[in-house]
Amino acid sequence: QVQLVESGGGLVLPGGSLRLSCAASGETFSRYTIAWFRQAPGKDREFVAAAKRYDSNARYADSVKGRFTMSRDNAKNAVYLQMSDLKPEDTAVYYCAAGSTVITSSMGRPGAYHYWGQGTQVTVSS
């Protein structure tokens, strides 16, 4: 199993930046596809970004492409989400997720991931 703990959320002004972290423990972290999802009140959980086990090229939702950058450090069992040019519509609880059998076509689906963190709140507001 993998345990995931997110951190780094907070309140930020529109146009600002935040860096989220996801710390993993348990089984070998490098075996897993890792993803970021977010969920705003009253909305479904939404894909943000994902990176496969040894693939340094993350995939992004169109809504965050060019503004968010995901990176993973397998040696530190950590994943990061650098968010820039934040907008009010980015306000949500952000979750880190891990899956060991995620195929490429399923990377954006919450059901493809077995393990989830508790989430960290990101609020973009003036």
Side-chain angles (χ1 to χ4, degrees), residues 43-116:
K43 295 188 176 181
D44 292 334
R45 196 160 293 191
E46 176 189 26
F47 170 73
V48 176
K52 302 205 79 174
R53 293 181 294 174
Y54 297 108
D55 186 356
S56 60
N57 297 314
R59 296 169 184 261
Y60 299 93
D62 288 343
S63 58
V64 307
K65 204 171 292 183
R67 302 187 297 121
F68 290 12
T69 301
M70 177 180 179
S71 59
R72 62 185 295 170
D73 187 335
N74 290 332
K76 294 184 177 180
N77 283 1
V79 174
Y80 309 98
L81 185 68
Q82 178 66 48
M83 306 185 295
S84 302
D85 190 22
L86 283 161
K87 304 175 181 181
E89 52 264 41
D90 294 317
T91 296
V93 177
Y94 282 71
Y95 297 91
C96 178
S100 60
T101 58
V102 182
I103 60 176
T104 300
S105 60
S106 296
M107 288 176 73
R109 300 176 185 171
Y113 298 87
H114 303 102
Y115 304 107
W116 292 82

Side-chain angles (χ1 to χ4, degrees), residues 14-65:
S17 299
L18 276 178
R19 186 192 194 211
L20 305 184
S21 299
C22 175
S25 61
E27 291 190 12
T28 305
F29 177 72
S30 60
R31 293 179 51 216
Y32 291 82
T33 295
I34 305 296
W36 288 96
F37 287 82
R38 66 187 182 185
Q39 189 165 19
K43 295 188 176 181
D44 292 334
R45 196 160 293 191
E46 176 189 26
F47 170 73
V48 176
K52 302 205 79 174
R53 293 181 294 174
Y54 297 108
D55 186 356
S56 60
N57 297 314
R59 296 169 184 261
Y60 299 93
D62 288 343
S63 58
V64 307
K65 204 171 292 183

